[in-house]
Amino acid sequence: MNAPVSGQVNGLEQREGEVFDLGYRHYDGPRGGRGKAFMAVYDDGIRSVLGLGRGVAAKMMCGISGLLVLGPAIFIISVAGFMSSFGGETDQIPLPKHEDYYGLTFIILLLFAAIVGPALLSPDKRNSVLPLYAVRPLKSLDYAIARWLAFFTFAMAFTIVPQALLYLSFVLSDDSPWGYIKDNGRDLWAIFAIGLILAAFMTSLALAAASLTSRRAFASAGVIAFVFITAAIGGFGGEILTSDQDRQEHAAGASSSTGNHGDEEVQAPDGDAAHYIHLLILPDTMLAGVSSWTFGDRTHFPVSPWYNAMTIAAVIAGAFGTMVFRYRKFGG
Amino acid sequence: MPALLSARNITKVYEDTVALQDVTLDIEQGMTGLLGANGAGKSTLMTLFLGIIQATSGDFQVFGEDGGDPIQAHRLIGYSPEYECLPPNVSAAEFTTHMARVSGLPRTEARSRATDVLRHVGLDEERYRPMGTYSTGMKQRAKLAQAIVHDPQLVLLDEPTAGLDPAGRQEMLELIAQTSSEFGISMLISSHLMGDIERTCERIIVLEAGGVVEQGDVSGYTTDTETLALEFDEGIEAVAASLTNKGIAVTIEGRALLIEEASQDDLDVIRDVIVETGALLHRLAPRTQTLSDIFRRPAP
Ligand SMILES: Nc1ncnc2c1ncn2[C@@H]1O[C@H](COP(=O)(O)OP(=O)(O)OP(=O)(O)O)[C@@H](O)[C@H]1O
Ligand SMILES: [Mg+2]
């Protein structure tokens, strides 16, 4: 067989592939500005979370987190499917509902954010890559926000996709799917709203930690420490205040208020400091509070959900602000 | 045609160090060398022009525009810092493509240019390997690749030969010079080695302790002086006296006799004089005066 057309030039042998490698050439095509640069940083953030072009360990990290987050949904769906295929009444088994699901995956989401999130900011600092961004057509904040959005995209997917699957399975396994949607339409926006808030919460915490250190491991530890230490303060603080209060109440011969009667106004007099310090237990505040606000009156939390919302909003704003402050400009 | 970069009375003060003091200079098209010892202010000057740091006082222009808002200018500038700036777990192909996109190139263009440019700098087979596994020479090439991948008009290379052995240094400089001359990309390269700059640059700027001590064309410094050096073991004074008598200007430098721009006739005279005086000639060689010689002379 003869050499392909391009395989031989003037009788000189060329190596495979060389034909298309023209070496350096001038570029006359379009040159984008900040918008294109922003998208490039965003795309690279997505690739970095997925571990594309970055070795096996990075790919595994994302894959494992994804499976862990989806796992419970798949399990619930299979159980429900199994039951209904035997003509069983799915309503009778206590399958987790939407609002329960976050409790199952919160810790996985938190670990995912803590472990993978900092990869979007810390290594570029550690490896001194930032000056290369500084001399390109984008601003320091463009870079940070594009990275934030890249991780936010995954956090959203990881909170919403399993819930959407669950919803779909509830719809399909219901005797009257249309009826289910009509009765539970509110759940859809609740899933979206909580996904948004939870994702913003995780992303902001992870990227704030990453903006403070060039060591990924420190940032990861920082995220987890922040959640656990605030929770510990909330827990112990609540304990101390509650027992003080109990003693006073016993002394006064009053009956203590014990949880879920369904009427928040009665249960949570505004002066009850223990309930406020409990807000520091961010997973509870996030999950119980926000889901009671969005899913309606199905879960119970002692103080008005507005306090939960405000607490979470404050954490998100504080964390996001930290990152913005750290990336107000490149270099010194 | 305005200068590509120009600085007017730039001063940069860090807490307790004056890194640049009242620097005024222009960087024209072509290759310019920025020469200076450690701490002379080379990197400070480059990062100032790039808008990475701010001057304490003074003005500068990039492509004839005030250097205040660098976003526009950055589309046509490339930069390679003096330190390592490559993520170790990412391949050169991935990284160079990404950097081209951040410079505003569309995705497919970015990818094909990254391939071409990596080949141009001599990273062909290795381009899919994580850059953490690269040798110093390969890293310097990858740094150069990301600086030129978007086909800039001006490239600032801070110590592109740092860490290279003499052969590697030579190759790198040839690559840079070739890229500059063949594709008309102006370059500003810094080095603390005179050899690097006199071999490759058309113009030179010498920084010393934050101030410009020399600037001008490299050729202007080297072509005008072809010197013949004669080293003697003994009898140098007799030869010098005899040559001076015959109207040939000489200078004595240690055991060497330096004669500038000797003609063919002069050479005959010199040979005869050596034979006549019986002086012991140790070595005879032409000496092109290097920039090093020029700058080693005490400033006038
Ligand atoms: N961030 C900084 N903070 C304080 N001083 C600095 C800083 N950066 C540079 N300097 C000082 O400014 C002076 C010039 O530094 P610069 O890095 O520009 O020199 P250089 O010519 O690039 O040296 P080298 O050959 O070592 O790279 C030095 O005295 C240095 O110590
Ligand atoms: Mg330097």
Side-chain angles (χ1 to χ4, degrees):
Chain A
M1 205 175 78
N2 279 327
V5 182
S6 50
Q8 284 197 286
V9 178
N10 301 333
L12 292 172
E13 256 193 39
Q14 292 210 326
R15 275 185 304 156
E16 201 78 36
E18 214 168 35
V19 176
F20 302 105
D21 286 326
L22 303 170
Y24 197 91
R25 288 171 292 130
H26 275 305
Y27 175 74
D28 305 317
R31 285 175 193 272
R34 275 175 78 181
K36 280 277 189 301
F38 184 92
M39 281 314 295
V41 176
Y42 173 85
D43 285 355
D44 182 67
I46 297 280
R47 287 178 67 79
S48 148
V49 176
L50 288 172
L52 295 177
R54 274 156 182 91
V56 184
K59 289 184 188 68
M60 300 252 296
M61 210 65 231
C62 185
I64 291 174
S65 313
L67 280 179
L68 287 177
V69 173
L70 279 175
I74 291 167
F75 179 76
I76 295 166
I77 293 165
S78 342
V79 170
F82 183 78
M83 298 300 291
S84 61
S85 68
F86 281 93
E89 193 47 63
T90 41
D91 290 354
Q92 286 161 9
I93 358 158
L95 281 177
K97 297 264 173 235
H98 291 297
E99 55 270 35
D100 305 321
Y101 198 80
Y102 296 109
L104 296 173
T105 55
F106 185 88
I107 189 74
I108 298 165
L109 286 171
L110 182 67
L111 283 177
F112 172 69
I115 293 169
V116 179
L120 289 163
L121 293 180
S122 295
D124 280 350
K125 257 191 302 199
R126 184 166 169 73
N127 302 317
S128 319
V129 191
L130 289 179
L132 301 186
Y133 288 102
V135 300
R136 287 184 155 81
L138 86 166
K139 294 198 187 282
S140 179
L141 257 186
D142 297 343
Y143 165 87
I145 290 172
R147 293 302 213 200
W148 191 96
L149 280 175
F151 192 76
F152 182 73
T153 305
F154 281 91
M156 277 289 270
F158 278 8
T159 48
I160 288 179
V161 169
Q163 291 279 17
L165 283 179
L166 208 56
Y167 190 84
L168 194 68
S169 85
F170 291 154
V171 170
L172 294 180
S173 63
D174 200 274
D175 296 335
S176 143
W178 183 238
Y180 184 89
I181 292 176
K182 268 200 289 195
D183 294 346
N184 300 281
R186 183 183 158 89
D187 285 0
L188 272 181
W189 85 259
I191 287 169
F192 183 77
I194 299 202
L196 208 71
I197 295 164
L198 195 55
F201 177 81
M202 299 288 182
T203 306
S204 299
L205 274 191
L207 271 74
S211 76
L212 292 171
T213 170
S214 58
R215 303 288 210 106
R216 263 183 81 171
F218 290 175
S220 301
V223 172
I224 292 168
F226 177 79
V227 173
F228 278 83
I229 289 172
T230 48
I233 295 171
F236 286 123
E239 199 107 309
I240 292 164
L241 290 171
T242 312
S243 44
D244 279 356
Q245 187 193 331
D246 282 352
R247 258 175 262 123
Q248 287 165 10
E249 282 174 354
H250 280 296
S255 65
S256 68
S257 61
T258 50
N260 309 335
H261 297 298
D263 190 344
E264 286 162 3
E265 299 308 316
V266 174
Q267 274 180 46
D270 279 354
D272 195 338
H275 290 143
Y276 295 111
I277 201 152
H278 263 299
L279 289 170
L280 281 175
I281 308 175
L282 294 172
D284 284 356
T285 303
M286 176 81 223
L287 301 176
V290 181
S291 66
S292 87
W293 170 53
T294 46
F295 285 113
D297 215 9
R298 292 197 233 143
T299 51
H300 303 283
F301 206 70
V303 293
S304 157
W306 279 111
Y307 289 106
N308 299 52
M310 273 155 48
T311 306
I312 296 299
V315 172
I316 293 174
F320 191 81
T322 303
M323 182 191 78
V324 167
F325 180 75
R326 294 284 292 176
Y327 282 88
R328 65 200 181 284
K329 58 179 180 171
F330 286 119
Chain B
M1 181 87 206
L4 294 174
L5 300 174
S6 65
R8 295 287 171 267
N9 311 107
I10 288 277
T11 295
K12 174 68 184 179
V13 184
Y14 291 107
E15 299 86 59
D16 50 354
T17 338
V18 181
L20 291 174
Q21 181 141 41
D22 201 26
V23 167
T24 293
L25 52 77
D26 288 323
I27 310 287
E28 310 284 349
Q29 298 218 311
M31 277 198 69
T32 306
L34 193 56
L35 180 70
N38 292 137
K42 306 182 293 294
S43 304
T44 304
L45 185 63
M46 284 191 173
T47 47
L48 263 165
F49 275 130
L50 291 163
I52 297 176
I53 59 172
Q54 262 66 53
T56 309
S57 65
D59 303 308
F60 70 98
Q61 296 195 316
V62 180
F63 298 138
E65 307 267 334
D66 278 337
D69 177 27
I71 295 269
Q72 198 63 20
H74 281 178
R75 306 201 303 183
L76 295 173
I77 283 188
Y79 169 56
S80 161
E82 61 190 316
Y83 38 77
E84 276 193 24
C85 55
L86 307 169
N89 60 337
V90 177
S91 72
E94 170 96 12
F95 187 68
T96 314
T97 305
H98 170 52
M99 281 298 150
R101 287 197 60 206
V102 182
S103 291
L105 270 59
R107 193 190 307 257
T108 46
E109 283 288 350
R111 198 172 301 128
S112 75
R113 279 198 63 84
T115 307
D116 294 344
V117 167
L118 285 169
R119 180 182 166 74
H120 175 73
V121 302
L123 289 176
D124 199 15
E125 336 256 85
E126 306 91 345
R127 67 178 189 270
Y128 294 116
R129 247 168 60 193
M131 293 188 288
T133 66
Y134 286 4
S135 68
T136 309
M138 290 160 71
K139 282 178 185 163
Q140 289 288 18
R141 284 160 192 273
K143 279 163 62 179
L144 176 64
Q146 65 76 30
I148 60 177
V149 68
H150 52 297
D151 192 28
Q153 280 176 14
L154 169 67
V155 177
L156 282 68
L157 304 173
D158 202 348
E159 311 221 11
T161 58
L164 305 182
D165 62 18
R169 183 177 289 274
Q170 179 69 37
E171 280 178 29
M172 188 70 190
L173 290 168
E174 276 167 14
L175 176 62
I176 293 168
Q178 181 224 335
T179 310
S180 171
S181 63
E182 226 167 278
F183 301 102
I185 300 173
S186 297
M187 307 238 182
L188 176 65
I189 68 174
S190 78
S191 178
H192 56 268
L193 291 175
M194 173 65 76
D196 285 1
I197 283 166
E198 73 185 354
R199 252 184 277 161
T200 46
C201 294
E202 297 145 58
R203 289 171 42 83
I204 183 170
I205 293 165
V206 184
L207 281 182
E208 206 174 282
V212 177
V213 291
E214 294 271 353
Q215 57 178 320
D217 292 343
V218 168
S219 58
Y221 290 110
T222 45
T223 53
D224 61 353
T225 46
E226 172 80 10
T227 306
L228 188 67
L230 300 129
E231 276 178 44
F232 289 96
D233 285 330
E234 50 187 66
I236 186 168
E237 292 84 3
V239 176
S242 180
L243 285 176
T244 311
N245 269 343
K246 292 183 158 65
I248 297 174
V250 299
T251 40
I252 296 180
E253 194 186 280
R255 292 189 306 149
L257 203 61
L258 303 180
I259 300 154
E260 305 220 335
E261 305 195 38
S263 65
Q264 194 56 47
D265 290 348
D266 291 344
L267 289 177
D268 292 341
V269 174
I270 293 163
R271 185 197 56 217
D272 293 344
V273 166
I274 293 170
V275 173
E276 274 167 31
T277 56
L280 275 180
L281 183 62
H282 180 79
R283 197 159 73 113
L284 179 154
R287 183 195 281 175
T288 305
Q289 210 171 17
T290 62
L291 288 172
S292 324
D293 299 322
I294 295 167
F295 295 119
R296 219 177 278 136
R297 288 199 306 240

